[in-house]
Amino acid sequence: LGAMAVVFSGGGVADGAAVAAVGAAASAGSASAGALTSSTVALLGAVFLYVGAYQIGFGPITWLLLSEVFPLEARSQALGVAALVNFGSNMVVAASFEAVRTAIGSPAMFAAFAVIAAGSAGFVWVNVPETKGLSLEQIEQKLKL
């Protein structure tokens, strides 16, 4: 299977579905701290589904694609900048998570995450070519505008 087939056959689809499930389970609420309720179990299951789906779908695609996109002479510098942007973005999301959740609520926040996941899938579908079986030179030609 090629990278795009993995993203769209399960990884990316399950990723978005899991984000929606986390939001639904979070909106159900929980009884008290430490209590094991059905909504707590559902939330935990949805988080496990999300992490597993991300590791199959979008997670590795980022690094695979970045290693193929940049020309050899600029690859190390470009991957360094990409890693900085990636982890910087993760930091912004983590730092603002609780403030956003408090401001708009868990259901709306996870609905927004689900919309972003769907938008990401659409972007990949439209803009990212399948690279299975292609040399780096062929990939570079495919990606030229």
Side-chain angles (χ1 to χ4, degrees), residues 1-106:
L1 289 175
M4 295 304 111
V6 170
V7 168
F8 290 105
S9 67
V13 173
D15 192 24
V19 169
V22 168
S27 68
S30 60
S32 63
L36 188 60
T37 64
S38 60
S39 65
T40 304
V41 171
L43 179 60
L44 186 60
V47 169
F48 282 151
L49 175 63
Y50 168 75
V51 171
Y54 187 80
Q55 295 304 318
I56 293 169
F58 281 115
I61 295 301
T62 302
W63 303 108
L64 174 69
L65 186 63
L66 287 174
S67 69
E68 294 175 341
V69 166
F70 298 113
L72 188 57
E73 58 273 1
R75 188 167 300 148
S76 61
Q77 292 88 357
L79 286 173
V81 171
L84 181 67
V85 169
N86 184 6
F87 291 119
S89 301
N90 289 340
M91 184 188 75
V92 168
V93 170
S96 63
F97 185 89
E98 189 58 28
V100 173
R101 190 188 67 77
T102 302
I104 66 172
S106 293

